[in-house]
Amino acid sequence: MEAPPVTVMPVTGGTINMMEYLLQGSVLDQSLESLLHRLRGLCDNMEPESFADHELVYLLKGQQGNPFMLRARRSLLHPTAPWHLRYLGQPEVGDKSRHALVRNCVDVAASHSLPDFLNEMGFRMDHEFVAKGQVFRKGAMKVVVSKLLRVLASGNTENTEPMSLSYLVELSILAPAGQDTMSEDMRSFAEQLKPLVHLEKIDPKRLM
């Protein structure tokens, strides 16, 4: 089973129940500085936020159907900050008028005993990774540029290796349901990042 597109939104703040509008792409390591320079010019006049997060993906397997997936994430830069528990719904990709992938997003802060709680509930960790990068903002839009790192020894975030020779780039907005006009703003912003990066509405079925 393939997971929905990985999102690496850093654990800053928390929303209760919103819709996530998302475009994704990637940029090769050697083109990273050019992209960051472009983002500094296009985004709000503030320093980008740096982050380093450890994410664990948990599955709860039922009698039938696909397993239920939850994502637990903690900040490596701020060890005392709360964990975050995130649920991502099935993407709504059928509507051609939408320029972005849309899915339900539930994000809540949690205590440091979150992994133990999930294990007690019957969840089992499927995989884990570390994401390191920067967050840029343009109004309600958020651009996350991150390097994904494979954890070589379970739980040891010091022992990692890059998953690829590229950086994941994500443009997203969290908003109440029905704010579909936001996807047009995202499309316009994404056009300004070409040809450095091509942000697309990724259909997870294409990854299977």
Side-chain angles (χ1 to χ4, degrees):
M1 169 193 166
E2 289 286 342
V6 172
T7 69
V8 293
M9 302 308 168
V11 293
T12 53
T15 59
I16 300 302
N17 191 353
M18 304 282 273
M19 302 302 292
E20 179 184 55
Y21 296 76
L22 177 69
L23 292 174
Q24 292 178 303
S26 63
V27 61
L28 291 173
D29 289 355
Q30 59 263 35
S31 301
L32 174 66
E33 287 306 316
S34 296
L35 175 63
L36 296 179
H37 181 74
R38 176 76 61 86
L39 287 171
R40 288 189 182 97
L42 291 174
C43 292
D44 294 340
N45 188 22
M46 61 178 66
E47 280 299 308
E49 306 165 31
S50 296
F51 71 93
D53 291 348
H54 178 211
E55 181 160 311
L56 302 91
V57 179
Y58 287 85
L59 298 179
L60 179 63
K61 298 181 179 180
Q63 295 297 320
Q64 48 187 286
N66 293 329
F68 185 75
M69 182 184 299
L70 291 176
R71 299 175 178 275
R73 179 177 281 244
R74 66 187 178 101
S75 171
L76 299 176
L77 299 182
H78 307 284
T80 60
W83 281 65
H84 272 248
L85 179 65
R86 201 163 195 241
Y87 165 76
L88 297 173
Q90 288 299 314
E92 302 172 11
V93 294
D95 190 344
K96 301 296 184 184
S97 67
R98 287 174 172 166
H99 300 291
L101 178 145
V102 182
R103 60 186 174 189
N104 182 250
C105 175
V106 181
D107 187 335
V108 294
S111 71
H112 288 219
S113 60
L114 178 59
D116 292 335
F117 173 75
L118 290 173
N119 284 324
E120 288 293 327
M121 292 290 291
F123 284 85
R124 292 296 175 262
M125 190 183 74
D126 183 66
H127 61 278
E128 60 183 319
F129 62 91
V130 169
K132 295 182 178 181
Q134 297 182 68
V135 184
F136 295 82
R137 299 183 187 277
K138 175 71 171 178
M141 290 184 286
K142 181 163 61 174
V143 185
V144 179
V145 182
S146 57
K147 171 68 78 172
L148 301 186
L149 305 170
R150 182 180 293 108
V151 177
L152 300 177
S154 182
N156 184 357
T157 56
E158 299 296 324
N159 188 7
T160 61
E161 67 177 13
M163 291 188 185
S164 70
L165 299 176
S166 62
Y167 280 74
L168 178 65
V169 184
E170 297 177 304
L171 172 61
S172 69
I173 294 178
L174 284 176
Q179 304 292 316
D180 291 348
T181 55
M182 290 185 171
S183 67
E184 178 61 35
D185 296 335
M186 294 173 65
R187 185 193 67 80
S188 299
F189 185 83
E191 286 293 323
Q192 299 180 68
L193 296 179
K194 293 178 179 178
L196 291 172
V197 61
H198 292 263
L199 298 177
E200 299 179 294
K201 174 181 175 179
I202 304 280
D203 184 348
K205 295 186 176 65
R206 285 164 43 190
L207 304 177
M208 295 183 177

